[in-house]
Amino acid sequence: MREPAWRRTGKTPDYRFSLANERTFLAWVRTALALLAGAVAIDQLAPEIAPTAVRIVLCMVLALIGASLAVVSYRRWAHQEQAMRNNQELPHSWLMLGMTVVVAAAALVFAILILTRP
């Protein structure tokens, strides 16, 4: 893979900030992996938690959100890095609010499924 063109623009930021940005990216990737693992776990370890169709939809939603999060986290890392290189304000991200809503909604759905399980 070749280096993106934006890495040759601006001034190289302090390595501490670049490494902090990378750690944040890796934390988002871990969250994406956790969502994928949760989808697999629900499908394989808790087949009785909901009717098959509902369980499959829940697992697919979690897996798709995990995959999307992996892609969005790379874009977020790149935009942050570009802003630091060009001495600009860091861009706003909807990612934190979005993930908060998604995780809260998933927790609510699973709590209801657990409480109403026969």
Side-chain angles (χ1 to χ4, degrees), residues 1-9 74 85:
M1 213 180 229
R2 67 175 193 249
E3 181 179 47
W6 59 262
R7 288 201 33 106
R8 294 186 292 277
T9 63
Y74 177 80
R85 286 182 158 281

Side-chain angles (χ1 to χ4, degrees), residues 15-29:
Y15 71 92
R16 293 172 292 180
F17 299 122
S18 287
L19 291 174
N21 191 30
E22 185 176 328
R23 283 190 301 273
T24 302
F25 164 72
L26 293 172
W28 286 111
V29 169

Side-chain angles (χ1 to χ4, degrees), residues 38-103:
V40 171
I42 290 165
D43 186 56
Q44 296 298 308
L45 302 176
E48 71 286 342
I49 196 167
T52 302
V54 173
R55 193 181 78 246
I56 289 172
V57 168
L58 288 173
C59 292
M60 289 302 297
V61 167
L62 284 177
L64 290 173
I65 290 169
S68 299
L69 181 59
V71 171
V72 171
S73 64
Y74 177 80
R75 293 187 67 221
R76 182 180 187 272
W77 168 81
H79 288 139
Q80 301 276 14
E81 198 70 22
Q82 288 174 39
M84 288 189 292
R85 286 182 158 281
N86 296 307
N87 201 26
Q88 296 173 343
E89 185 175 324
L90 295 178
H92 173 74
S93 175
W94 57 267
L95 191 58
M96 288 178 263
L97 176 60
M99 283 308 301
T100 301
V101 170
V102 165
V103 170

